Amino acid sequence: MKAHIAAAAPRAYHYGVKQADRQGLERVLEQLNISAKVIAPGQITQRVDRLDEPAPQGPFSGPAQSLLLLDGVDGELLQTLLAALKKEGVQVDYKAVVTPHNRQWTVLELLEELKRERQAIREAQKS
């Protein structure tokens, strides 16, 4: 008998999304049965694989950029989600998928890496 390991339910974490965009984002996620969780400012230094843990307490301020972090969302579901967000007009500065490599990073480290990647792409396009 083969063991069956259930795939984790698709989940989206979001940080810094403006209220108008947040409503559209949450509507799309609900339609696609993707659970959503807000990344609190205090969680910006928390590891990606620990975002379901309680947020640290205290006054925190995080980066101004918004982030949509997707876990267990790939293939056709990812394409459907991205198309629905575009159709809904949802603006998010950075979008990323949780990988075995980045799940050990903090949210801030991930955001900084996304910024570096975007800058590298822009510089390469200028060449």
Side-chain angles (χ1 to χ4, degrees):
M1 183 179 344
K2 290 185 178 181
H4 177 71
I5 299 172
R11 189 153 177 93
Y13 302 90
H14 55 91
Y15 170 81
V17 178
K18 293 179 180 141
Q19 187 60 36
D21 290 318
R22 187 172 166 177
Q23 291 171 347
L25 171 63
E26 290 180 348
R27 185 170 37 254
V28 167
L29 293 172
E30 184 177 337
Q31 290 170 352
L32 296 174
N33 294 315
I34 300 171
S35 64
K37 183 173 190 256
V38 174
I39 300 171
Q43 290 180 293
I44 203 76
T45 57
Q46 210 163 335
R47 282 180 23 179
V48 167
D49 63 353
R50 295 191 175 146
L51 287 174
D52 287 322
E53 295 176 6
Q57 299 299 309
F60 296 97
S61 62
Q65 296 84 11
S66 58
L67 170 68
L68 175 61
L69 182 57
L70 305 167
D71 193 6
V73 179
D74 56 14
E76 187 176 326
L77 181 57
L78 177 61
Q79 296 307 315
T80 301
L81 171 62
L82 294 174
L85 292 175
K86 186 174 184 176
K87 182 178 179 183
E88 190 78 24
V90 173
Q91 298 291 315
V92 178
D93 297 318
Y94 295 96
K95 299 174 190 84
V97 173
V98 176
T99 68
H101 181 70
N102 68 21
R103 70 184 323 104
Q104 304 298 315
W105 297 356
T106 67
V107 175
L108 188 57
E109 289 170 335
L110 176 59
L111 195 52
E112 292 300 320
E113 178 63 19
L114 292 170
K115 289 180 194 177
R116 283 191 294 275
E117 288 176 5
R118 182 174 285 175
Q119 185 61 34
I121 290 168
R122 285 184 180 151
E123 288 176 12
Q125 289 174 338
K126 290 179 185 176
S127 306

